[in-house]
Amino acid sequence: KKKLKTTKMMTLDSRFLTSAEVAKLLGVSSQVVLKWAKAGKFPVTRLGKRVLRFEATAIEAWLKKNEQPIQGS
């Protein structure tokens, strides 16, 4: 019987966002978010060949660094 490796559980602070969710936070389209990610403007995690996700804490840090207000706050 194989024993499964234990991994650190994700907290709400480390959840991943879609480009649509990031776009809503920034007040731009998801296409703009993907363009900025491709240009390296903020951190992105690739979960497959075509799947990109954005770590919520990394986006929050990027927003603070770039002094962008979060929409809806």
Side-chain angles (χ1 to χ4, degrees):
K1 194 175 188 181
K2 287 186 177 182
K3 190 172 185 178
L4 297 175
K5 291 184 180 180
T6 305
T7 58
K8 181 180 172 187
M9 289 184 65
M10 283 181 42
T11 65
L12 289 176
D13 290 338
S14 65
R15 94 178 184 94
F16 286 91
L17 305 172
T18 65
S19 59
E21 291 170 322
V22 174
K24 188 174 180 179
L25 285 172
L26 299 178
V28 299
S29 71
S30 58
Q31 289 80 17
V32 169
V33 170
L34 294 171
K35 182 179 175 181
W36 288 349
K38 186 176 180 179
K41 292 195 182 258
F42 49 75
V44 62
T45 300
R46 187 171 292 277
L47 299 178
K49 188 174 182 178
R50 297 180 51 181
V51 179
L52 300 177
R53 291 294 182 265
F54 305 86
E55 193 171 349
T57 53
I59 296 300
E60 183 179 356
W62 183 87
L63 286 168
K64 286 179 183 178
K65 179 180 175 186
N66 292 282
E67 300 179 12
Q68 298 291 324
I70 296 177
Q71 298 291 322
S73 327

